[in-house]
Amino acid sequence: MRDADAVIVGAGAAGLSLAYRLCAPAAGAHRLGIVLVDAPRGPHTPPERTWCYWEPPGGEFDDALTAAWDDLRVYGPAGEETLGRPAPLRYKMLRSDAFASVVGARLSAHPSVVRIEATVDSVRDVPDGAEVRAHDAAGRPVTLRARWAFDSRPGPRLPPARTTLRQHFRGWFVRTRRPVFDPAVADLMDFRVPQPAHGLAFGYVLPLDPRAALVEYTEFSRRPLETAAYERALRHYTANVRKLGDFHITAVEQGAIPMTDGRFPRRVGRSVFRIGTAGGATRPSTGYTFASVQRQTAAIAAGLRRHGSPVPPPPHTRWVRALDAVLLRALDSGRVDGAAFFSTLFGAVPTERLLRFLDGRTGLWEDLTIGLRTPVLPMLRTVAELPLLPRRSDPW
């Protein structure tokens, strides 16, 4: 006997988003039975996270936003400043607890949704659908069966790739003694920090009011740093670059996102699918994920309602993945100076178009015009090199 139409494993951005979409009111639609499985609360529970994305005003999560900005700024390595307004888009900041509250309100009003806490051991096909085996906090076995299973957990290893970098970061939520931030402007990339041998590094400042902001140090490189190294970088950035003066830290966040040209499988069985970063939703060359997750989960829900087929569509086109493969290799090889590359793009390309490009939403002609602003010869050399490179699998 099936317990549900769908079992969703993981209650992060992807799992919550899919549950939210599957519970959306739809006239004449069959009410789906859904089980959402989250890990038991404890020392390994992920801390609160921040998700950022861009879209026009009036988005469905706008009431839950922590902040939003109409103006974005980029600082080049020598301090050159580029200020852009990506209208009609706004840059939006959403905290995970606020998003979970919005989703929770919809799920609690849906009588066919069950939420359980358990550690999942396996997700597999069975003759009439999918089976999830897990154990609860007391160690008791839990078995769930459904027509479909959607798994957002990362695997033990990343898919084989020619280039694998990571976007890794540590951020401080700070409150300063004096007003030092402009709440109207978000600093998307500040390259006035020491650059790693491979990849790039930048500061990132999202002001909440004149005395409060999220200040992050971010790298695109092969391996994450030790916490002490992030702390040194943040102290240098806040004291020597931003000159914030006295402040205290109210919260901390840290994470790592894979940036790889590996091909993430979206379907791993007749009835088992991967979603979120595990299903390839992360844009390989930028690390942006949240907006892509919304498109992915909306497509799954629509497919399930329309024709009973919830196969996740490719999150990014082949063309976008090819562009990403070239850029990742160019950054990793040192052939392209990452700080100069992104600074030049923001200075030369309209901000709205560049944001759509970073999200994989531009057309071919727009991509070609942006490509002309890049170091053409190093990029062409990278294009020629890629087919000769072996693919290797890294730990997640």
Side-chain angles (χ1 to χ4, degrees):
M1 297 260 325
R2 294 177 189 157
D3 297 291
D5 294 295
V7 172
I8 302 170
V9 177
L16 288 174
S17 297
L18 181 56
Y20 181 85
R21 304 292 175 191
L22 292 177
C23 290
H30 165 66
R31 178 171 284 169
L32 298 172
I34 301 164
V35 178
L36 177 61
V37 186
D38 196 10
R41 297 190 178 277
H44 300 296
T45 301
E48 188 178 348
R49 290 146 290 174
T50 300
W51 298 314
C52 291
Y53 57 103
W54 43 82
E55 65 178 5
E60 60 187 321
F61 304 121
D62 274 13
D63 289 343
L65 296 176
T66 299
W69 300 269
D70 293 315
D71 294 319
L72 301 176
R73 181 165 50 202
V74 171
Y75 287 102
E80 60 274 26
E81 179 181 340
T82 299
L83 186 66
R85 172 164 286 198
L89 305 178
R90 301 190 81 202
Y91 193 71
K92 301 181 178 184
M93 175 185 185
L94 179 63
R95 296 285 280 162
S96 58
D97 63 337
F99 180 66
S101 294
V102 171
V103 175
R106 175 175 284 186
L107 300 189
S108 64
H110 196 291
S112 299
V113 174
V114 175
R115 300 188 68 166
I116 68 171
E117 291 188 352
T119 301
V120 172
D121 302 309
S122 67
V123 182
R124 66 188 185 99
D125 279 324
V126 292
D128 62 343
E131 180 181 79
V132 176
R133 290 183 177 269
H135 59 275
D136 65 15
R140 294 178 296 240
V142 176
T143 302
L144 302 165
R145 294 182 179 87
R147 178 66 189 91
W148 311 104
F150 301 92
D151 192 352
S152 65
R153 299 172 303 156
R157 299 189 70 82
L158 292 166
R162 293 164 294 194
T163 307
T164 297
L165 300 179
R166 286 162 178 81
Q167 179 184 148
H168 50 99
F169 55 89
R170 185 172 174 86
W172 291 341
F173 284 86
V174 302
R175 176 156 289 277
T176 60
R177 177 172 294 180
R178 59 189 177 86
V180 294
F181 302 113
D182 180 355
V185 182
D187 291 326
L188 196 63
M189 290 180 166
D190 186 343
F191 292 107
R192 296 173 295 173
V193 297
Q195 296 297 310
H198 298 273
L200 70 153
F202 56 90
Y204 178 55
V205 180
L206 301 182
L208 307 178
D209 65 45
R211 295 177 50 234
L214 169 60
V215 181
E216 284 193 354
Y217 172 79
T218 300
E219 281 193 16
F220 294 0
S221 59
R222 295 177 182 175
R223 294 288 181 268
L225 307 177
E226 298 292 333
T227 298
Y230 293 115
E231 292 285 299
R232 287 193 298 270
L234 280 166
R235 285 195 293 270
H236 168 78
Y237 182 61
T238 54
N240 301 328
V241 178
R242 301 301 300 223
K243 297 180 171 58
L244 298 187
D246 293 336
F247 64 86
H248 66 275
I249 300 168
T250 60
V252 175
E253 68 174 29
Q254 185 169 323
I257 302 167
M259 304 174 68
T260 169
D261 67 351
R263 303 183 186 98
F264 287 82
R266 305 186 312 279
R267 188 169 198 164
V268 292
R270 293 186 309 276
S271 299
V272 181
F273 305 94
R274 301 275 186 169
I275 59 172
T277 295
T282 297
R283 176 78 197 267
S285 64
T286 64
Y288 283 105
T289 306
F290 188 80
S292 178
V293 161
Q294 300 314 307
R295 294 192 294 270
Q296 182 188 66
T297 54
I300 292 171
L304 191 56
R305 292 188 186 282
R306 288 174 189 163
H307 42 73
S309 176
V311 180
H316 307 290
T317 65
R318 290 184 179 181
W319 170 251
V320 166
R321 295 200 307 270
L323 293 177
D324 287 343
V326 173
L327 180 55
L328 287 174
R329 176 61 182 172
L331 290 174
D332 186 47
S333 66
R335 204 169 285 145
V336 166
D337 181 322
F341 174 85
F342 281 104
S343 299
T344 299
L345 283 185
F346 273 95
V349 179
T351 306
E352 183 268 345
R353 182 185 302 170
L354 189 54
L355 289 187
R356 288 190 293 107
F357 172 76
L358 294 178
D359 202 23
R361 307 294 285 175
T362 43
L364 177 60
W365 177 249
E366 291 174 305
D367 290 342
L368 292 175
T369 61
I370 292 171
L372 293 175
R373 306 290 186 176
T374 67
V376 175
L377 290 179
M379 289 298 194
L380 289 176
R381 180 181 171 188
T382 304
V383 170
E385 175 189 60
L386 277 174
L388 306 176
L389 297 176
R391 290 183 178 269
R392 298 186 175 90
S393 182
D394 277 13
W396 194 288

